[in-house]
Amino acid sequence: MSTIYYGALRNVMVFGETGRVLSAVVDQRKDRRIGTVGVGRPRDPQVDDAILTAARELLAEQGYQKTTITAIARRAELGTAAIYRRWATKESIIEDAVFGMQDAALPVTTSNLRDDMQAWTRWFLARVAEPATRAAIPGLLSAYHQEDGAYEQLVRRSEDPARLALAERVRVEFPERADAEIVSTADVAFDILVATTIVRGLTSGLADGDAFCTRTADALVLLLTAAGAEARR
């Protein structure tokens, strides 16, 4: 899921704005720079999956710093050349391993807005609260601090689809509203949803998750409903 997921990294976290980030420099000596990905034989999806699975396992077990390309290759029982044919840097592997939302199905829409907002909150929280994600976010924040445009690329491929889907859900609920109003309201709701689930997921994981999702869904429904009433005044 956004989301999560962070010039942009100077003021945001992976899927939405959550305040200024202060982070340390990540050691990237064993990684290539973005844009230098190698070329070679056609990619084997099974090899891709093995690499991404290894990256997730290492993040959860050993943390971001120790999840190096060498360690990923060793865990996946591959050579580093197989990785460099697919990804230019450790950061790009971790983005795909943790935030590959193009492969993640968004919650199914129902006829009940509150139920849908609760499902969305639970979905985002579950993704952020995963051990691999909790390890990845601080490391990526630090790495992106050195790579102009890296956050914008991540947003385009991960957050935008979910943001558009939420706007469409609001459009279905309030068909009488102007499109500009729908987009504006949905953007605010999405930013709140992403920011709250990132902070909650990173600090508390899934502890007391049901109550948190209920409170957040109630707040989102109030926001979406009140925005329409305010616009009609």
Side-chain angles (χ1 to χ4, degrees), residues 164-187:
L164 292 173
L166 182 58
E168 183 57 32
R169 178 62 186 89
V170 176
R171 185 175 288 107
V172 170
E173 186 72 20
F174 305 103
E176 73 283 359
R177 295 185 186 177
D179 192 66
E181 177 193 340
I182 290 172
V183 172
S184 176
T185 303
D187 278 348

Side-chain angles (χ1 to χ4, degrees), residues 20-42:
R20 182 169 299 276
V21 176
L22 299 178
S23 57
V25 174
V26 173
D27 183 357
Q28 297 182 2
R29 286 174 297 178
K30 295 184 179 180
D31 293 340
R32 297 186 181 183
R33 304 290 289 180
I34 291 174
T36 62
V37 65
V39 295
R41 69 190 67 176

Side-chain angles (χ1 to χ4, degrees), residues 115-131:
D115 288 349
D116 287 350
M117 292 303 96
Q118 192 162 6
W120 275 66
T121 304
R122 187 177 294 110
W123 185 83
F124 272 96
L125 179 63
R127 288 176 63 83
V128 176
E130 291 177 357

Side-chain angles (χ1 to χ4, degrees), residues 151-170:
Y151 170 72
E152 288 79 2
Q153 293 175 18
L154 177 60
V155 167
R156 281 195 297 271
R157 64 182 287 262
S158 61
E159 178 182 301
D160 285 357
R163 186 182 292 274
L164 292 173
L166 182 58
E168 183 57 32
R169 178 62 186 89
V170 176

Side-chain angles (χ1 to χ4, degrees), residues 31-206:
D31 293 340
R32 297 186 181 183
R33 304 290 289 180
I34 291 174
T36 62
V37 65
V39 295
R41 69 190 67 176
R43 288 170 59 158
D44 181 345
Q46 292 184 336
V47 174
D48 291 3
D49 290 343
I51 293 170
L52 297 177
T53 297
R56 284 190 293 268
E57 291 176 352
L58 287 168
L59 283 166
E61 296 169 11
Q62 301 184 29
Y64 184 90
Q65 295 286 4
K66 292 185 178 180
T67 303
T68 63
I69 286 183
T70 300
I72 293 171
R74 187 181 301 115
R75 175 64 64 93
E77 299 183 346
L78 296 166
T80 56
I83 295 179
Y84 281 126
R85 281 197 295 268
R86 293 161 169 81
W87 290 276
T89 65
K90 177 176 83 171
E91 287 69 41
S92 60
I93 300 173
I94 292 175
E95 285 181 12
D96 280 350
V98 178
F99 305 114
M101 291 181 64
Q102 69 275 16
D103 297 323
L106 292 167
V108 176
T109 298
T110 71
S111 59
N112 187 297
L113 180 62
R114 184 182 180 280
D115 288 349
D116 287 350
M117 292 303 96
Q118 192 162 6
W120 275 66
T121 304
R122 187 177 294 110
W123 185 83
F124 272 96
L125 179 63
R127 288 176 63 83
V128 176
E130 291 177 357
T133 309
R134 296 176 76 178
I137 289 177
L140 287 176
L141 281 169
S142 180
Y144 288 165
H145 192 68
Q146 306 173 62
E147 295 287 352
D148 291 340
Y151 170 72
E152 288 79 2
Q153 293 175 18
L154 177 60
V155 167
R156 281 195 297 271
R157 64 182 287 262
S158 61
E159 178 182 301
D160 285 357
R163 186 182 292 274
L164 292 173
L166 182 58
E168 183 57 32
R169 178 62 186 89
V170 176
R171 185 175 288 107
V172 170
E173 186 72 20
F174 305 103
E176 73 283 359
R177 295 185 186 177
D179 192 66
E181 177 193 340
I182 290 172
V183 172
S184 176
T185 303
D187 278 348
V188 173
F190 186 85
D191 288 342
I192 292 174
L193 170 63
V194 165
T196 55
T197 51
I198 284 178
V199 172
R200 181 74 182 200
L202 289 179
T203 58
S204 302
L206 295 175

